[in-house]
Amino acid sequence: MAFLKVFVRKAIGGLVMIFVVASFTFFLIRLMPGNPVTTKLNALLATGTPYPIALSKVSVMYGFVPNQPVWQQYLTYLGELAHFNLGESISYTGVSVTHIILSAAPWTIIMVLTGVIVSFVLGVLAGVIAAVWRNSWIGQSSTFLATFLHGIPQFMLALVLAYVFTTVWRVFPFGAPYNAAIQPGWTPAFIGSLAKHAVLPVAAYAISGYGGWALTMRSSVTSVLGDEFILAAELRGLTRGMRLRYIARNAFLPLFTTLTLSLGFMFGGSVFIESIFDYPGLGNLLTTSIGAEDYPLMQGAFLLITTAVIVANLLADLLYTAIDPRIRRA
Amino acid sequence: MATSPANVQSFYMVKRPNALAVAWKVIVKKPSRVIGLILIAIFVLMAAIGPMLYPPVLPINPLAIYAAPSFAHPLGTDFQGTDVLAEIITGARFVLLGAFFAALFTVLIGTSVGLAAGYFRKWRDSVLMRITDLFLTVPSFPLLIVLSTIWRFTSPLALGLVLGITGWAGLARAVRSQTFSLRERGFIEAARGIGLSDWHILTREIFPNIAPYIVMNLLIATTGAIYSEIGLFFLGIVPFSTNNWGVMLNMAFTQSGAMYTKSGLLYLLSPLACIMLVTFGVVLFLDAVDELLNPRLKGV
């Protein structure tokens, strides 16, 4: 029961956050120098569109009518948002923002989650190695590698990967999520192409997250190793494998707090990784929408990225509560 | 043994030599710290006098596009035939100045919020921590991009301010938890007992205890700010007011095609190498700062 209560409280917190971010972007657009809503309205009027038609076009685009008082526009906006209506895109004329961002979302979410899982598995293994063999060369080089990779910014990683593996040594294709010559579908050729194009971006996500996991796991394992119950286990004559299981189960828990930070970092990194590898995900959408001054699209992409992070955090919390009985009881 | 005044004086002289001398002694203890200091000094010098060494608009040379490194062009030339070394040197000022302001604002906001939340607790703490959580959760780089649409930050100061606004939350949490534990210590209780004001306790009693931690974070925040700054320029979201390393990367990636030729390697690699070297310098030097400021390590 307590489990459910914790979940509901966190879910409400998440909803409040989404609401704050949605309100923030609403007022942000109104604060902009040369308010894009009036700019768009004037542009339409200048092309000879009659006023009522221009007004209705703009209201469709932004999901509200520009001549209403702000608080009324805000209420309309929130009402539309509750129906997942984010207005129409400006650069893709006549296409709804919801449609565009929902078709972009899978690219980002799948890539980020794959990256998180790969970096998690590798990083945790490296962290255990670094802690258990911390006095030998293997542990020390593992720590060094993690520290080094942890310090490299994502765009640099992605640029170097792209340069080395597509320009200098042409092993992977550059740009685009799949070969445009292949018909999309559940065919082996298409899936193969998809996988081949995904290797470098996933590698960029994974390497950028790897160091953080390895370092957190290393310090966590090191502190558990010093715990008295491990000494007791050793004195009781438990096998090494058994002791490692004890250590792993306890050292694992602090990683869940890192997960929260990591998810935000990874989704934020999609901005770089997607523009460098030309992936049609949310991050790429965000940067291109700003270049095109497509504010409804920008608003939608930002909102969805934030929502993805919040939902992912919620799931991580849920997992944590399920795993650690101490949290459940608290 | 009798203590003469001269002895007392020499005792204090030994105990408290001047700060610079102490710092110097700590730095030269390890060669890695000296390397860190040298790297930082080189880049600070670059930022300080670099733009004075070259004309405001660097000359282009259509006959020497992507020239190989030579005596005249130690790092080769770019897609317009401009000397890459000159671009690196003149580009340092904006990047470093922006990073400095960013770190300053990050620390300023993060420390004030953390101190206030940890010291006052109750409703003020929960309000401040809700805000902090919001900033921690919303991915900061997309937020930065969205903010850049209303705020055409072209000066290092404005850029630094925005980076500070998006990046303070982690520090605030850490400062809060330190303040929390300090608050329970005897000397703070004594200070409250003799009726010192909250302001006095916060600034004179608690702050000095977390100051070393904050100085360390100031340095770490600098490297983070450099990444974000260059990221913004790299994506082409911030208007290009001056030449800097991020603009170079953007040009190398988008317009000049340096990304697709092997001859563009140096043009692409030089700004990346500079970012790494600055970071490397800061990380190496951090070790010396830690020893200087951490009372537990003193005299060991």
mmCIF file of all heavy atoms in Angstrom, chain A residues 17 20 28 32-33 151 153 155-156 162-163 167-168 174 264 271-272 275-276 287 290 302 309 313, chain B residues 134 137 139 141-143 145-146 149-150 227 231 235 237 253 258-262 265 268 272 276:
data_model
loop_
_atom_site.group_PDB
_atom_site.id
_atom_site.type_symbol
_atom_site.label_atom_id
_atom_site.label_comp_id
_atom_site.label_asym_id
_atom_site.label_seq_id
_atom_site.Cartn_x
_atom_site.Cartn_y
_atom_site.Cartn_z
ATOM 1 N N MET A 17 5.372 19.164 -12.618
ATOM 2 C CA MET A 17 6.548 19.614 -13.364
ATOM 3 C C MET A 17 6.211 19.845 -14.838
ATOM 4 O O MET A 17 6.622 20.849 -15.430
ATOM 5 C CB MET A 17 7.642 18.568 -13.258
ATOM 6 C CG MET A 17 8.781 18.999 -12.365
ATOM 7 S SD MET A 17 10.057 17.750 -12.365
ATOM 8 C CE MET A 17 10.536 17.835 -10.667
ATOM 9 N N VAL A 20 4.359 23.024 -15.141
ATOM 10 C CA VAL A 20 5.218 24.210 -15.018
ATOM 11 C C VAL A 20 5.978 24.467 -16.315
ATOM 12 O O VAL A 20 6.053 25.597 -16.803
ATOM 13 C CB VAL A 20 6.201 24.044 -13.828
ATOM 14 C CG1 VAL A 20 7.239 25.156 -13.827
ATOM 15 C CG2 VAL A 20 5.451 24.036 -12.512
ATOM 16 N N LEU A 28 7.030 32.155 -22.376
ATOM 17 C CA LEU A 28 8.284 32.456 -23.063
ATOM 18 C C LEU A 28 8.029 33.021 -24.452
ATOM 19 O O LEU A 28 8.613 34.024 -24.865
ATOM 20 C CB LEU A 28 9.105 31.167 -23.177
ATOM 21 C CG LEU A 28 10.528 31.345 -23.654
ATOM 22 C CD1 LEU A 28 11.391 31.793 -22.490
ATOM 23 C CD2 LEU A 28 11.075 30.051 -24.218
ATOM 24 N N MET A 32 8.994 36.930 -26.099
ATOM 25 C CA MET A 32 9.976 37.058 -27.160
ATOM 26 C C MET A 32 9.933 38.420 -27.819
ATOM 27 O O MET A 32 8.861 38.960 -28.051
ATOM 28 C CB MET A 32 9.680 36.001 -28.209
ATOM 29 C CG MET A 32 10.689 34.934 -28.230
ATOM 30 S SD MET A 32 10.137 33.733 -29.389
ATOM 31 C CE MET A 32 10.035 32.360 -28.306
ATOM 32 N N PRO A 33 11.117 38.971 -28.120
ATOM 33 C CA PRO A 33 11.145 40.242 -28.842
ATOM 34 C C PRO A 33 10.469 40.045 -30.198
ATOM 35 O O PRO A 33 10.752 39.062 -30.895
ATOM 36 C CB PRO A 33 12.643 40.525 -29.000
ATOM 37 C CG PRO A 33 13.324 39.214 -28.782
ATOM 38 C CD PRO A 33 12.458 38.435 -27.865
ATOM 39 N N GLY A 151 34.988 12.888 -18.689
ATOM 40 C CA GLY A 151 35.262 14.310 -18.882
ATOM 41 C C GLY A 151 35.050 14.806 -20.294
ATOM 42 O O GLY A 151 35.190 15.996 -20.556
ATOM 43 N N PRO A 153 32.995 15.972 -23.449
ATOM 44 C CA PRO A 153 31.624 16.378 -23.775
ATOM 45 C C PRO A 153 31.044 15.546 -24.917
ATOM 46 O O PRO A 153 31.782 15.067 -25.782
ATOM 47 C CB PRO A 153 31.766 17.835 -24.182
ATOM 48 C CG PRO A 153 33.196 18.045 -24.486
ATOM 49 C CD PRO A 153 33.961 17.048 -23.703
ATOM 50 N N PHE A 155 29.254 16.249 -27.587
ATOM 51 C CA PHE A 155 29.398 16.625 -28.997
ATOM 52 C C PHE A 155 30.780 16.260 -29.515
ATOM 53 O O PHE A 155 30.957 15.894 -30.668
ATOM 54 C CB PHE A 155 29.091 18.111 -29.209
ATOM 55 C CG PHE A 155 29.994 19.064 -28.505
ATOM 56 C CD1 PHE A 155 31.172 19.480 -29.097
ATOM 57 C CD2 PHE A 155 29.672 19.567 -27.259
ATOM 58 C CE1 PHE A 155 32.004 20.373 -28.459
ATOM 59 C CE2 PHE A 155 30.496 20.464 -26.610
ATOM 60 C CZ PHE A 155 31.668 20.865 -27.211
ATOM 61 N N MET A 156 31.782 16.323 -28.609
ATOM 62 C CA MET A 156 33.127 15.986 -29.033
ATOM 63 C C MET A 156 33.224 14.501 -29.350
ATOM 64 O O MET A 156 33.781 14.098 -30.375
ATOM 65 C CB MET A 156 34.098 16.351 -27.913
ATOM 66 C CG MET A 156 35.532 16.221 -28.315
ATOM 67 S SD MET A 156 36.632 16.538 -26.954
ATOM 68 C CE MET A 156 36.528 18.278 -26.823
ATOM 69 N N ALA A 162 32.220 10.205 -35.541
ATOM 70 C CA ALA A 162 31.784 10.397 -36.925
ATOM 71 C C ALA A 162 32.986 10.578 -37.845
ATOM 72 O O ALA A 162 33.048 10.004 -38.927
ATOM 73 C CB ALA A 162 30.856 11.602 -37.021
ATOM 74 N N TYR A 163 33.949 11.370 -37.385
ATOM 75 C CA TYR A 163 35.105 11.640 -38.244
ATOM 76 C C TYR A 163 35.939 10.387 -38.463
ATOM 77 O O TYR A 163 36.306 10.057 -39.576
ATOM 78 C CB TYR A 163 35.958 12.750 -37.616
ATOM 79 C CG TYR A 163 37.000 13.294 -38.560
ATOM 80 C CD1 TYR A 163 36.628 14.157 -39.586
ATOM 81 C CD2 TYR A 163 38.335 12.943 -38.437
ATOM 82 C CE1 TYR A 163 37.565 14.651 -40.469
ATOM 83 C CE2 TYR A 163 39.286 13.438 -39.309
ATOM 84 C CZ TYR A 163 38.892 14.300 -40.329
ATOM 85 O OH TYR A 163 39.825 14.791 -41.200
ATOM 86 N N THR A 167 34.767 9.166 -42.096
ATOM 87 C CA THR A 167 35.600 9.892 -43.043
ATOM 88 C C THR A 167 36.965 9.241 -43.205
ATOM 89 O O THR A 167 37.396 8.929 -44.319
ATOM 90 C CB THR A 167 35.777 11.361 -42.595
ATOM 91 O OG1 THR A 167 34.495 11.948 -42.473
ATOM 92 C CG2 THR A 167 36.594 12.138 -43.602
ATOM 93 N N VAL A 168 37.644 9.017 -42.085
ATOM 94 C CA VAL A 168 38.991 8.460 -42.159
ATOM 95 C C VAL A 168 38.912 6.978 -42.527
ATOM 96 O O VAL A 168 39.578 6.492 -43.434
ATOM 97 C CB VAL A 168 39.722 8.634 -40.808
ATOM 98 C CG1 VAL A 168 41.108 8.032 -40.879
ATOM 99 C CG2 VAL A 168 39.787 10.104 -40.442
ATOM 100 N N PHE A 174 27.400 7.559 -42.988
ATOM 101 C CA PHE A 174 27.277 8.821 -42.273
ATOM 102 C C PHE A 174 25.890 9.425 -42.474
ATOM 103 O O PHE A 174 25.369 9.450 -43.583
ATOM 104 C CB PHE A 174 28.342 9.804 -42.751
ATOM 105 C CG PHE A 174 28.295 11.097 -41.994
ATOM 106 C CD1 PHE A 174 28.690 11.135 -40.666
ATOM 107 C CD2 PHE A 174 27.825 12.251 -42.589
ATOM 108 C CE1 PHE A 174 28.628 12.304 -39.953
ATOM 109 C CE2 PHE A 174 27.768 13.426 -41.877
ATOM 110 C CZ PHE A 174 28.169 13.456 -40.558
ATOM 111 N N GLY A 264 18.344 12.539 -17.720
ATOM 112 C CA GLY A 264 18.260 13.916 -18.183
ATOM 113 C C GLY A 264 19.423 14.268 -19.090
ATOM 114 O O GLY A 264 19.253 14.883 -20.147
ATOM 115 N N VAL A 271 20.277 16.310 -28.454
ATOM 116 C CA VAL A 271 20.394 17.515 -29.261
ATOM 117 C C VAL A 271 21.659 17.472 -30.113
ATOM 118 O O VAL A 271 21.635 17.761 -31.309
ATOM 119 C CB VAL A 271 20.403 18.758 -28.346
ATOM 120 C CG1 VAL A 271 20.724 19.998 -29.120
ATOM 121 C CG2 VAL A 271 19.073 18.900 -27.655
ATOM 122 N N PHE A 272 22.780 17.076 -29.496
ATOM 123 C CA PHE A 272 24.039 17.020 -30.242
ATOM 124 C C PHE A 272 24.119 15.789 -31.113
ATOM 125 O O PHE A 272 24.442 15.858 -32.292
ATOM 126 C CB PHE A 272 25.228 16.957 -29.284
ATOM 127 C CG PHE A 272 25.379 18.173 -28.462
ATOM 128 C CD1 PHE A 272 25.206 18.127 -27.098
ATOM 129 C CD2 PHE A 272 25.695 19.384 -29.058
ATOM 130 C CE1 PHE A 272 25.349 19.258 -26.338
ATOM 131 C CE2 PHE A 272 25.842 20.516 -28.307
ATOM 132 C CZ PHE A 272 25.666 20.445 -26.935
ATOM 133 N N SER A 275 21.938 15.821 -34.147
ATOM 134 C CA SER A 275 22.290 16.709 -35.259
ATOM 135 C C SER A 275 23.580 16.273 -35.933
ATOM 136 O O SER A 275 23.735 16.462 -37.124
ATOM 137 C CB SER A 275 22.336 18.190 -34.881
ATOM 138 O OG SER A 275 22.582 18.368 -33.564
ATOM 139 N N ILE A 276 24.487 15.671 -35.175
ATOM 140 C CA ILE A 276 25.728 15.230 -35.810
ATOM 141 C C ILE A 276 25.475 14.020 -36.720
ATOM 142 O O ILE A 276 25.973 13.966 -37.832
ATOM 143 C CB ILE A 276 26.803 14.931 -34.746
ATOM 144 C CG1 ILE A 276 27.264 16.250 -34.127
ATOM 145 C CG2 ILE A 276 27.987 14.192 -35.356
ATOM 146 C CD1 ILE A 276 28.130 16.111 -32.919
ATOM 147 N N THR A 287 16.486 21.719 -32.452
ATOM 148 C CA THR A 287 17.445 22.654 -33.051
ATOM 149 C C THR A 287 16.952 23.187 -34.396
ATOM 150 O O THR A 287 17.070 24.377 -34.657
ATOM 151 C CB THR A 287 18.828 22.006 -33.253
ATOM 152 O OG1 THR A 287 18.653 20.642 -33.570
ATOM 153 C CG2 THR A 287 19.673 22.138 -32.031
ATOM 154 N N ILE A 290 14.227 25.873 -34.113
ATOM 155 C CA ILE A 290 14.685 27.200 -33.731
ATOM 156 C C ILE A 290 15.287 27.913 -34.929
ATOM 157 O O ILE A 290 15.029 29.097 -35.155
ATOM 158 C CB ILE A 290 15.668 27.101 -32.553
ATOM 159 C CG1 ILE A 290 14.842 26.817 -31.310
ATOM 160 C CG2 ILE A 290 16.479 28.369 -32.398
ATOM 161 C CD1 ILE A 290 15.598 26.665 -30.074
ATOM 162 N N PHE A 302 10.320 20.546 -27.005
ATOM 163 C CA PHE A 302 10.877 20.736 -25.658
ATOM 164 C C PHE A 302 9.998 20.077 -24.605
ATOM 165 O O PHE A 302 10.482 19.406 -23.693
ATOM 166 C CB PHE A 302 11.032 22.236 -25.373
ATOM 167 C CG PHE A 302 11.599 22.532 -24.017
ATOM 168 C CD1 PHE A 302 12.861 22.080 -23.669
ATOM 169 C CD2 PHE A 302 10.874 23.251 -23.086
ATOM 170 C CE1 PHE A 302 13.400 22.352 -22.427
ATOM 171 C CE2 PHE A 302 11.405 23.521 -21.838
ATOM 172 C CZ PHE A 302 12.657 23.066 -21.513
ATOM 173 N N VAL A 309 11.848 12.679 -19.983
ATOM 174 C CA VAL A 309 12.756 12.583 -18.836
ATOM 175 C C VAL A 309 11.973 12.333 -17.547
ATOM 176 O O VAL A 309 12.343 11.486 -16.731
ATOM 177 C CB VAL A 309 13.609 13.870 -18.713
ATOM 178 C CG1 VAL A 309 14.453 13.827 -17.453
ATOM 179 C CG2 VAL A 309 14.496 14.033 -19.917
ATOM 180 N N ASN A 313 12.195 9.067 -15.231
ATOM 181 C CA ASN A 313 12.568 9.175 -13.823
ATOM 182 C C ASN A 313 11.571 8.472 -12.923
ATOM 183 O O ASN A 313 11.936 7.829 -11.940
ATOM 184 C CB ASN A 313 12.636 10.646 -13.399
ATOM 185 C CG ASN A 313 13.949 11.263 -13.791
ATOM 186 O OD1 ASN A 313 14.923 10.554 -13.999
ATOM 187 N ND2 ASN A 313 13.971 12.560 -13.921
ATOM 188 N N LEU B 134 13.157 20.880 -10.089
ATOM 189 C CA LEU B 134 12.672 21.205 -11.432
ATOM 190 C C LEU B 134 13.858 21.458 -12.362
ATOM 191 O O LEU B 134 13.936 20.905 -13.457
ATOM 192 C CB LEU B 134 11.764 22.435 -11.363
ATOM 193 C CG LEU B 134 11.090 22.824 -12.668
ATOM 194 C CD1 LEU B 134 10.021 21.808 -13.021
ATOM 195 C CD2 LEU B 134 10.466 24.197 -12.566
ATOM 196 N N THR B 137 15.723 18.277 -13.131
ATOM 197 C CA THR B 137 15.044 17.310 -13.988
ATOM 198 C C THR B 137 14.998 17.766 -15.442
ATOM 199 O O THR B 137 15.303 16.999 -16.340
ATOM 200 C CB THR B 137 13.606 17.071 -13.486
ATOM 201 O OG1 THR B 137 13.654 16.793 -12.103
ATOM 202 C CG2 THR B 137 12.971 15.918 -14.218
ATOM 203 N N PRO B 139 16.086 18.758 -18.745
ATOM 204 C CA PRO B 139 17.426 18.661 -19.319
ATOM 205 C C PRO B 139 17.966 20.051 -19.658
ATOM 206 O O PRO B 139 17.310 20.821 -20.350
ATOM 207 C CB PRO B 139 17.240 17.801 -20.556
ATOM 208 C CG PRO B 139 15.801 17.570 -20.716
ATOM 209 C CD PRO B 139 15.101 17.976 -19.482
ATOM 210 N N PHE B 141 20.474 21.343 -21.395
ATOM 211 C CA PHE B 141 20.867 21.853 -22.705
ATOM 212 C C PHE B 141 19.672 22.233 -23.580
ATOM 213 O O PHE B 141 19.658 23.335 -24.140
ATOM 214 C CB PHE B 141 21.823 20.901 -23.424
ATOM 215 C CG PHE B 141 22.629 21.644 -24.422
ATOM 216 C CD1 PHE B 141 23.747 22.351 -24.029
ATOM 217 C CD2 PHE B 141 22.223 21.718 -25.733
ATOM 218 C CE1 PHE B 141 24.460 23.120 -24.925
ATOM 219 C CE2 PHE B 141 22.930 22.474 -26.642
ATOM 220 C CZ PHE B 141 24.055 23.165 -26.240
ATOM 221 N N PRO B 142 18.638 21.379 -23.676
ATOM 222 C CA PRO B 142 17.436 21.828 -24.385
ATOM 223 C C PRO B 142 16.854 23.114 -23.802
ATOM 224 O O PRO B 142 16.420 24.002 -24.537
ATOM 225 C CB PRO B 142 16.469 20.658 -24.224
ATOM 226 C CG PRO B 142 17.349 19.476 -24.134
ATOM 227 C CD PRO B 142 18.563 19.940 -23.378
ATOM 228 N N LEU B 143 16.880 23.240 -22.472
ATOM 229 C CA LEU B 143 16.376 24.459 -21.838
ATOM 230 C C LEU B 143 17.174 25.677 -22.296
ATOM 231 O O LEU B 143 16.618 26.736 -22.609
ATOM 232 C CB LEU B 143 16.451 24.319 -20.315
ATOM 233 C CG LEU B 143 16.028 25.538 -19.508
ATOM 234 C CD1 LEU B 143 14.577 25.872 -19.755
ATOM 235 C CD2 LEU B 143 16.249 25.309 -18.015
ATOM 236 N N ILE B 145 18.713 25.958 -25.096
ATOM 237 C CA ILE B 145 18.362 26.233 -26.488
ATOM 238 C C ILE B 145 17.071 27.037 -26.546
ATOM 239 O O ILE B 145 16.964 28.032 -27.282
ATOM 240 C CB ILE B 145 18.204 24.910 -27.269
ATOM 241 C CG1 ILE B 145 19.551 24.223 -27.376
ATOM 242 C CG2 ILE B 145 17.629 25.157 -28.641
ATOM 243 C CD1 ILE B 145 19.484 22.895 -28.068
ATOM 244 N N VAL B 146 16.092 26.625 -25.736
ATOM 245 C CA VAL B 146 14.810 27.320 -25.740
ATOM 246 C C VAL B 146 14.991 28.761 -25.243
ATOM 247 O O VAL B 146 14.452 29.707 -25.813
ATOM 248 C CB VAL B 146 13.791 26.552 -24.879
ATOM 249 C CG1 VAL B 146 12.548 27.372 -24.650
ATOM 250 C CG2 VAL B 146 13.424 25.236 -25.549
ATOM 251 N N THR B 149 16.153 31.519 -27.608
ATOM 252 C CA THR B 149 15.263 32.134 -28.593
ATOM 253 C C THR B 149 14.773 33.505 -28.148
ATOM 254 O O THR B 149 14.556 34.374 -28.967
ATOM 255 C CB THR B 149 14.016 31.255 -28.857
ATOM 256 O OG1 THR B 149 13.410 30.970 -27.613
ATOM 257 C CG2 THR B 149 14.373 29.995 -29.571
ATOM 258 N N ILE B 150 14.577 33.703 -26.833
ATOM 259 C CA ILE B 150 14.165 35.047 -26.434
ATOM 260 C C ILE B 150 15.359 35.914 -26.115
ATOM 261 O O ILE B 150 15.289 37.110 -26.124
ATOM 262 C CB ILE B 150 13.254 35.071 -25.184
ATOM 263 C CG1 ILE B 150 13.798 34.214 -24.071
ATOM 264 C CG2 ILE B 150 11.853 34.747 -25.526
ATOM 265 C CD1 ILE B 150 13.207 34.643 -22.731
ATOM 266 N N TYR B 227 32.033 23.546 -22.144
ATOM 267 C CA TYR B 227 31.338 22.562 -22.982
ATOM 268 C C TYR B 227 30.008 23.123 -23.491
ATOM 269 O O TYR B 227 29.695 23.019 -24.674
ATOM 270 C CB TYR B 227 31.040 21.276 -22.209
ATOM 271 C CG TYR B 227 32.243 20.515 -21.728
ATOM 272 C CD1 TYR B 227 32.107 19.517 -20.786
ATOM 273 C CD2 TYR B 227 33.508 20.775 -22.236
ATOM 274 C CE1 TYR B 227 33.201 18.801 -20.329
ATOM 275 C CE2 TYR B 227 34.606 20.082 -21.785
ATOM 276 C CZ TYR B 227 34.451 19.097 -20.822
ATOM 277 O OH TYR B 227 35.522 18.390 -20.378
ATOM 278 N N GLY B 231 29.033 24.038 -27.209
ATOM 279 C CA GLY B 231 27.901 23.289 -27.751
ATOM 280 C C GLY B 231 26.895 24.216 -28.414
ATOM 281 O O GLY B 231 26.400 23.932 -29.502
ATOM 282 N N LEU B 235 26.076 24.176 -32.441
ATOM 283 C CA LEU B 235 24.769 23.926 -33.054
ATOM 284 C C LEU B 235 24.280 25.130 -33.852
ATOM 285 O O LEU B 235 23.283 25.048 -34.558
ATOM 286 C CB LEU B 235 23.738 23.574 -31.982
ATOM 287 C CG LEU B 235 23.889 22.211 -31.325
ATOM 288 C CD1 LEU B 235 22.868 22.044 -30.227
ATOM 289 C CD2 LEU B 235 23.729 21.091 -32.349
ATOM 290 N N ILE B 237 23.128 27.989 -32.651
ATOM 291 C CA ILE B 237 21.916 28.559 -32.072
ATOM 292 C C ILE B 237 22.158 29.985 -31.590
ATOM 293 O O ILE B 237 21.295 30.835 -31.680
ATOM 294 C CB ILE B 237 21.433 27.652 -30.931
ATOM 295 C CG1 ILE B 237 20.813 26.428 -31.567
ATOM 296 C CG2 ILE B 237 20.438 28.365 -30.040
ATOM 297 C CD1 ILE B 237 20.704 25.279 -30.662
ATOM 298 N N PHE B 253 32.004 21.645 -39.154
ATOM 299 C CA PHE B 253 31.010 20.584 -39.293
ATOM 300 C C PHE B 253 29.991 20.885 -40.384
ATOM 301 O O PHE B 253 29.641 20.018 -41.177
ATOM 302 C CB PHE B 253 30.286 20.368 -37.960
ATOM 303 C CG PHE B 253 29.278 19.265 -38.015
ATOM 304 C CD1 PHE B 253 29.685 17.961 -38.219
ATOM 305 C CD2 PHE B 253 27.930 19.539 -37.903
ATOM 306 C CE1 PHE B 253 28.762 16.936 -38.292
ATOM 307 C CE2 PHE B 253 26.995 18.509 -37.972
ATOM 308 C CZ PHE B 253 27.419 17.213 -38.170
ATOM 309 N N ALA B 258 34.915 20.316 -43.708
ATOM 310 C CA ALA B 258 36.140 19.777 -43.111
ATOM 311 C C ALA B 258 35.894 18.391 -42.542
ATOM 312 O O ALA B 258 36.793 17.580 -42.394
ATOM 313 C CB ALA B 258 36.639 20.705 -41.997
ATOM 314 N N MET B 259 34.617 18.142 -42.237
ATOM 315 C CA MET B 259 34.203 16.870 -41.675
ATOM 316 C C MET B 259 34.408 15.730 -42.672
ATOM 317 O O MET B 259 34.558 14.585 -42.297
ATOM 318 C CB MET B 259 32.713 17.029 -41.352
ATOM 319 C CG MET B 259 32.112 16.117 -40.356
ATOM 320 S SD MET B 259 32.920 16.082 -38.802
ATOM 321 C CE MET B 259 32.299 14.491 -38.289
ATOM 322 N N TYR B 260 34.376 16.059 -43.950
ATOM 323 C CA TYR B 260 34.375 14.990 -44.955
ATOM 324 C C TYR B 260 35.712 14.824 -45.666
ATOM 325 O O TYR B 260 35.841 14.029 -46.565
ATOM 326 C CB TYR B 260 33.267 15.248 -45.979
ATOM 327 C CG TYR B 260 31.965 15.585 -45.307
ATOM 328 C CD1 TYR B 260 31.470 16.885 -45.319
ATOM 329 C CD2 TYR B 260 31.270 14.612 -44.592
ATOM 330 C CE1 TYR B 260 30.298 17.202 -44.661
ATOM 331 C CE2 TYR B 260 30.103 14.929 -43.929
ATOM 332 C CZ TYR B 260 29.618 16.221 -43.960
ATOM 333 O OH TYR B 260 28.475 16.537 -43.288
ATOM 334 N N THR B 261 36.704 15.645 -45.317
ATOM 335 C CA THR B 261 38.011 15.466 -45.949
ATOM 336 C C THR B 261 39.045 15.210 -44.874
ATOM 337 O O THR B 261 38.942 15.726 -43.774
ATOM 338 C CB THR B 261 38.452 16.733 -46.710
ATOM 339 O OG1 THR B 261 38.534 17.797 -45.767
ATOM 340 C CG2 THR B 261 37.500 17.090 -47.814
ATOM 341 N N LYS B 262 40.053 14.440 -45.249
ATOM 342 C CA LYS B 262 41.118 14.187 -44.280
ATOM 343 C C LYS B 262 41.997 15.411 -44.112
ATOM 344 O O LYS B 262 42.644 15.578 -43.092
ATOM 345 C CB LYS B 262 41.946 12.990 -44.744
ATOM 346 C CG LYS B 262 41.192 11.692 -44.547
ATOM 347 C CD LYS B 262 42.002 10.508 -45.015
ATOM 348 C CE LYS B 262 41.092 9.287 -45.117
ATOM 349 N NZ LYS B 262 41.721 8.177 -45.807
ATOM 350 N N LEU B 265 41.486 17.850 -41.085
ATOM 351 C CA LEU B 265 41.665 17.268 -39.750
ATOM 352 C C LEU B 265 42.107 18.286 -38.697
ATOM 353 O O LEU B 265 41.514 18.379 -37.630
ATOM 354 C CB LEU B 265 42.680 16.129 -39.832
ATOM 355 C CG LEU B 265 42.987 15.445 -38.494
ATOM 356 C CD1 LEU B 265 41.772 14.704 -37.988
ATOM 357 C CD2 LEU B 265 44.155 14.492 -38.616
ATOM 358 N N LEU B 268 39.474 20.790 -37.656
ATOM 359 C CA LEU B 268 38.462 20.184 -36.796
ATOM 360 C C LEU B 268 39.033 19.874 -35.414
ATOM 361 O O LEU B 268 38.386 20.057 -34.387
ATOM 362 C CB LEU B 268 37.958 18.895 -37.455
ATOM 363 C CG LEU B 268 36.814 18.161 -36.783
ATOM 364 C CD1 LEU B 268 35.538 18.965 -36.907
ATOM 365 C CD2 LEU B 268 36.625 16.791 -37.413
ATOM 366 N N LEU B 272 38.921 21.217 -30.628
ATOM 367 C CA LEU B 272 38.644 20.098 -29.716
ATOM 368 C C LEU B 272 39.819 19.893 -28.765
ATOM 369 O O LEU B 272 39.639 19.705 -27.559
ATOM 370 C CB LEU B 272 38.399 18.808 -30.505
ATOM 371 C CG LEU B 272 37.115 18.729 -31.337
ATOM 372 C CD1 LEU B 272 37.031 17.398 -32.051
ATOM 373 C CD2 LEU B 272 35.907 18.897 -30.439
ATOM 374 N N MET B 276 39.970 20.151 -24.594
ATOM 375 C CA MET B 276 40.501 19.083 -23.756
ATOM 376 C C MET B 276 41.654 19.589 -22.893
ATOM 377 O O MET B 276 41.766 19.243 -21.722
ATOM 378 C CB MET B 276 40.999 17.915 -24.624
ATOM 379 C CG MET B 276 39.911 17.064 -25.227
ATOM 380 S SD MET B 276 38.566 16.702 -24.119
ATOM 381 C CE MET B 276 39.248 15.395 -23.121
#
